[in-house]
């Protein structure tokens, strides 16, 4: 007996599937045009926004795995796009700082990223584009609450 449940109709499945496709699209684009991965782009973006940061802060802001962040930081340091300095408050950590070379790469990728997003969102009406950030924020707030209170179902 077949059950009339199709996981492809679930919001979580659809959001995850869409996110995976977007990451794949970004990975291909950034690798071809800039020889960097999505992880490196995320780190550059965080540091461009915050000025400086630690790998731990990058993990918290991006929800990236610690190992992936560490490898991406290593690549960015080796390529001269960021530098590491000892953290004066936490001797076990280092502070990550964008170099001029990193800022230049960030600006180039950001232009492409902005164009990609504009192209992607062009499928929506103006009203849908305006509503989307509000909807995503509401859903993010709900999931944060559910993560804090797992007994709520």
């Amino acid at each position: 007996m077949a059950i009339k449940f199709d996981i492809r109709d679930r919001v979580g499945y659809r959001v995850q599937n869409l996110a995976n496709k977007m990451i794949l699209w970004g990975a291909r684009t950034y690798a071809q045009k800039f020889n960097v991965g999505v992880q490196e782009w995320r780190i550059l973006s965080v540091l461009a926004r915050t000025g400086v940061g630690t790998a731990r802060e990058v993990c918290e802001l991006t929800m990236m795995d610690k190992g992936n962040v560490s490898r991406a930081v290593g690549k960015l340091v080796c390529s001269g796009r960021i530098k590491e300095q000892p953290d004066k408050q936490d001797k076990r950590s280092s502070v990550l700082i964008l170099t001029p070379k990193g800022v230049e790469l960030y600006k180039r990728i950001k232009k492409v990223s902005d164009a990609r997003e504009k192209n992607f969102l062009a499928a929506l009406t103006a009203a849908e584009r305006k509503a989307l950030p509000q909807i995503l924020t509401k859903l993010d707030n709900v999931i944060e609450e559910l993560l804090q209170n797992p007994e709520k179902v």
Side-chain angles (χ1 to χ4, degrees):
M1 175 177 143
I3 299 173
K4 292 190 179 205
F5 169 77
D6 190 342
I7 195 165
R8 295 172 296 179
D9 295 331
R10 292 290 205 184
V11 171
Y13 175 88
R14 294 183 74 185
V15 168
Q16 181 67 47
N17 198 34
L18 180 61
N20 288 342
K21 289 176 183 177
M22 290 182 75
I23 290 167
L24 179 60
W25 183 32
R28 287 178 180 168
T29 302
Y30 304 145
Q32 289 171 355
K33 292 184 179 288
F34 307 105
N35 197 32
V36 296
V38 172
Q39 291 86 1
E40 289 94 340
W41 165 234
R42 287 181 181 171
I43 292 167
L44 292 171
S45 295
V46 168
L47 294 178
R49 187 181 124 216
T50 61
V52 298
T54 64
R56 182 180 186 169
E57 290 166 343
V58 169
C59 289
E60 289 170 4
L61 283 169
T62 63
M63 296 192 71
M64 288 170 57
D65 175 74
K66 183 170 58 170
N68 289 340
V69 169
S70 179
R71 283 186 290 280
V73 165
K75 289 178 187 176
L76 290 168
V77 168
C78 284
S79 65
R81 292 171 173 142
I82 65 172
K83 61 182 178 178
E84 287 184 289
Q85 293 181 342
D87 187 338
K88 292 177 179 143
Q89 273 96 27
D90 183 354
K91 301 296 181 204
R92 300 166 295 164
S93 183
S94 14
V95 175
L96 308 174
I97 304 163
L98 270 179
T99 64
K101 190 175 177 181
V103 171
E104 185 272 328
L105 178 62
Y106 164 79
K107 288 177 180 178
R108 287 179 35 229
I109 297 175
K110 174 121 176 18
K111 283 182 186 176
V112 171
S113 178
D114 290 347
R116 286 178 62 244
E117 185 163 301
K118 184 178 179 181
N119 185 29
F120 177 70
L121 294 176
L124 303 177
T125 66
E128 289 169 334
R129 283 191 301 275
K130 183 177 181 184
L132 185 60
Q134 296 165 328
I135 292 168
L136 293 174
T137 297
K138 279 185 180 183
L139 293 174
D140 190 49
N141 290 339
V142 169
I143 201 66
E144 285 294 333
E145 175 69 24
L146 292 171
L147 286 168
Q148 296 301 315
N149 300 300
E151 65 280 354
K152 273 186 160 180
V153 177

